[in-house]
Amino acid sequence: MKILLLTTCICNDENIKDLKRLILSINSVRNIQFVHYVLLQSADGYSEECLLGLASNYTLITISQSHIVSLSKARNKLIKEVNSRYSLNDFDFVSCPDDDCWYPEGFWNSFNELQALSRFELFYTQFSSVPSITPFTSNEHNSSNLIRYASSNTTFYASKVFNEVGLFDENFGVGAKNNGGEDLDFAIKASLISKVIFFMNSAAIGHRDPLPEFRYKYFQGSFAVLNNHKLKSTALYYHYLRKLMVGIFYYSQRKIKFADFKVIK
């Protein structure tokens, strides 16, 4: 199996430390080929060599820039860089782990075995600061789980699906017009064209635990995404209405502004 990973990192000492953990977790995997593109932003004063030396068992390609762009723009730059050297069809799966994500021992072997059995084109799971690899359970995919759990760290796309979706919508993402939502937008688009989708209801990926009390900060992006897709299925229309109700609650608590209900284009 050959995997393409795309990561962006805004350089500071803490983020570089996290990124090194991710690289080492990939480097320890055997029997799977990885190509890992990393975009280092605000990279002045940070050496790429300290990262490249950690990836002795796989292909790590770093790109540095002095400025910072939105997350969706950063990922699109990486995709274009990949296409200048490879074809996406060279890979079996594509994922976009954050710099503070990591893979616990045994994850990739289990992923490989499950894919051989299920032949999924879209896979997602959960994450935790204390991830654990348990025997992969039955498929629990539904639209609610997709919208709740399909994040950059936990979602894996068959290359043909990733290629068909294309680029990330640059209206979404941290630092974009609509804050957040780029992962949800991409996952929904991919789900609509994937023949087999598998959700493993287990915290199999390493990442800091989410902070529910700050979920409202990403309301604007996710609401805008659901507004864009609401007419594509009954389930998506239901989730749009549900998100609208959540937004009204946030608004009543003065956590968001009325302008956050507007899709900015």
Side-chain angles (χ1 to χ4, degrees):
M1 180 177 286
K2 192 170 184 179
I3 305 292
L4 173 65
L5 301 174
L6 307 173
T7 298
T8 71
C9 177
I10 297 175
C11 292
N12 58 49
D13 292 347
E14 182 178 358
N15 289 351
I16 292 295
K17 181 180 177 181
D18 288 339
L19 179 58
K20 288 180 178 180
R21 177 180 57 184
L22 170 61
I23 292 170
L24 288 171
S25 76
I26 300 167
N27 195 62
S28 66
V29 179
R30 302 294 184 269
N31 303 322
I32 294 179
Q33 297 181 37
F34 292 96
V35 174
H36 186 193
Y37 273 75
V38 176
L39 176 62
L40 300 170
Q41 304 189 74
S42 189
D44 294 347
Y46 287 89
S47 171
E48 299 177 18
E49 297 304 319
C50 68
L51 302 175
L52 296 172
L54 300 176
S56 57
N57 293 319
Y58 80 95
T59 301
L60 174 63
I61 300 169
T62 57
I63 302 162
S64 295
Q65 61 185 36
S66 59
H67 58 290
I68 298 173
V69 297
S70 71
L71 188 53
S72 51
K73 285 186 177 181
R75 288 188 182 147
N76 285 345
K77 179 172 182 176
L78 287 174
I79 293 170
K80 292 171 184 176
E81 289 287 343
V82 171
N83 286 330
S84 70
R85 184 180 300 195
Y86 297 94
S87 165
L88 282 174
N89 293 328
D90 294 337
F91 303 93
D92 296 299
F93 283 89
V94 184
S95 189
C96 302
D98 292 339
D99 51 15
D100 58 348
C101 162
W102 74 95
Y103 303 109
E105 183 179 355
F107 170 78
W108 281 105
N109 286 336
S110 297
F111 177 89
N112 194 11
E113 292 170 4
L114 182 61
Q115 202 282 325
L117 292 172
S118 303
R119 299 295 177 184
F120 51 73
E121 295 182 341
L122 172 57
F123 172 90
Y124 63 108
T125 183
Q126 296 188 49
F127 62 76
S128 170
S129 59
V130 187
S132 61
I133 297 300
T134 58
F136 278 6
T137 56
S138 60
N139 188 358
E140 297 187 33
H141 164 69
N142 56 48
S143 60
S144 295
N145 284 334
L146 181 79
I147 290 169
R148 183 174 182 182
Y149 295 116
S151 72
S152 59
N153 302 301
T154 62
T155 309
F156 304 80
Y157 304 93
S159 59
K160 64 179 181 179
V161 171
F162 192 90
N163 197 30
E164 186 172 343
V165 174
L167 299 174
F168 286 84
D169 188 331
E170 295 185 1
N171 288 315
F172 301 105
V174 176
K177 297 176 181 178
N178 300 279
N179 189 44
E182 77 291 341
D183 295 324
L184 177 59
D185 180 63
F186 203 94
I188 289 175
K189 290 175 180 176
S191 72
L192 294 172
I193 59 177
S194 296
K195 294 178 181 178
V196 180
I197 304 173
F198 197 105
F199 171 56
M200 187 181 73
N201 193 6
S202 176
I205 302 290
H207 188 266
R208 61 175 173 77
D209 294 320
L211 299 173
E213 62 269 28
F214 295 130
R215 193 170 291 166
Y216 70 91
K217 291 186 176 182
Y218 303 101
F219 169 82
Q220 182 186 28
S222 57
F223 177 74
V225 166
L226 290 171
N227 180 67
N228 284 351
H229 293 291
K230 64 180 183 289
L231 298 180
K232 294 180 180 177
S233 75
T234 302
L236 288 172
Y237 193 78
Y238 162 78
H239 290 298
Y240 160 76
L241 292 177
R242 183 179 182 277
K243 194 71 175 182
L244 177 61
M245 294 299 104
V246 170
I248 291 172
F249 172 76
Y250 285 155
Y251 181 74
S252 71
Q253 299 292 307
R254 298 184 179 180
K255 291 183 176 181
I256 65 173
K257 306 181 295 296
F258 185 74
D260 292 331
F261 290 91
K262 182 180 180 181
V263 180
I264 303 174
K265 298 182 179 180

